[in-house]
Amino acid sequence: MMFLGQRRCNSDSTMTTTCNIEHANEAQSTTLDKSKSCVCLEQYTMHSLAKAVALDPPAHVVSSIVCLRPDEVRTTDPQGRLPIHLACTNGASAGVISLLLEAYPDSAFVADENGCVPLHLAVESCLCSGGTSSLDTIAVLVSAAPGAVFEINEWDETPVDISAQEEARAVEEGDNATRAIAKMVCMILRRASVSQWKKMKQEAEMP
């Protein structure tokens, strides 16, 4: 399976993103290793919140920026991505995702230029990094917006499809570590989809 990040990224092993966060009063260059994230950050002028979440900061840093610049949580980049998309792509903590969802609840259903909602990107990031900590981020997203499990990107994939395809690939290749992560992701997403389906059915049956 080819992840969204692999569709975008070139063969460079590292990339450099210039970080100019106002609190520091000076610019600093930070090199991001693609082993941490499988999605490249394009070079463009980012606002403070986008810069911060792209570097997986502590939750209190994000909270401070959201308080100072509340409009930035709704600001998209040239690829149609909100800060929550960048946060999910780069493996931000569940605490950071919760803060962004609290500030802009509907962001869970905003699609980028590839039709990906934040849950698509969180699933890809989790499977790409192989880290179980990202499972908490996925759980936060589906808890806040269970309907996102049904969202389809431009490759006709739901978040469930992405995890199921990766689990099948891992089984075929004997990749037990990835298989275990993918299986856990599938479990979280399928539970959410069943719960959401039951809710929709109950609402449809109401007089």
Side-chain angles (χ1 to χ4, degrees):
M1 176 185 177
M2 181 175 287
F3 287 114
L4 175 59
Q6 293 169 313
R7 297 171 185 138
R8 287 179 179 169
C9 289
N10 56 30
S11 59
D12 293 340
S13 60
T14 59
M15 61 180 176
T16 301
T17 298
T18 300
C19 179
N20 183 25
I21 300 177
E22 294 180 356
H23 296 79
N25 294 321
E26 61 180 2
Q28 68 180 70
S29 296
T30 304
T31 299
L32 303 179
D33 194 307
K34 286 199 300 187
S35 63
K36 177 181 179 182
S37 171
C38 51
V39 178
C40 286
L41 292 175
E42 292 83 353
Q43 297 288 339
Y44 75 100
T45 303
M46 296 189 291
H47 53 73
S48 299
L49 184 59
K51 293 173 186 174
V53 299
L55 298 174
D56 187 19
H60 69 86
V61 172
V62 175
S63 179
S64 296
I65 297 174
V66 170
C67 287
L68 290 170
R69 299 171 173 269
D71 291 341
E72 291 189 358
V73 76
R74 299 171 181 266
T75 303
T76 57
D77 69 6
Q79 287 70 48
R81 299 173 300 184
L82 293 165
I84 193 170
H85 290 91
L86 295 173
C88 290
T89 292
N90 289 281
S93 68
V96 167
I97 300 301
S98 293
L99 283 169
L100 296 174
L101 286 171
E102 182 179 352
Y104 184 14
D106 290 342
S107 64
F109 292 101
V110 175
D112 65 14
E113 67 175 8
N114 294 305
C116 292
V117 297
L119 186 57
H120 282 105
L121 303 178
V123 168
E124 288 185 336
S125 177
C126 181
L127 296 173
C128 200
S129 66
T132 55
S133 61
S134 297
L135 294 172
D136 291 335
T137 295
I138 293 172
V140 166
L141 285 165
V142 298
S143 177
V149 297
F150 301 123
E151 294 295 313
I152 299 174
N153 62 22
E154 72 171 25
W155 296 282
D156 294 324
E157 298 168 331
T158 65
V160 179
D161 292 331
I162 293 172
S163 58
Q165 290 167 14
E166 183 63 4
E167 183 179 6
R169 182 206 62 77
V171 170
E172 183 179 343
E173 297 181 4
D175 184 350
N176 293 328
T178 300
R179 178 188 179 186
I181 296 294
K183 187 173 183 178
M184 287 187 281
V185 172
C186 282
M187 187 180 300
I188 294 171
L189 297 178
R190 285 170 177 160
R191 284 177 179 172
S193 63
V194 169
S195 175
Q196 183 66 6
W197 179 82
K198 288 180 177 178
K199 180 181 178 181
M200 293 167 61
K201 184 179 179 181
Q202 290 173 350
E203 291 175 349
E205 291 174 349
M206 292 178 63

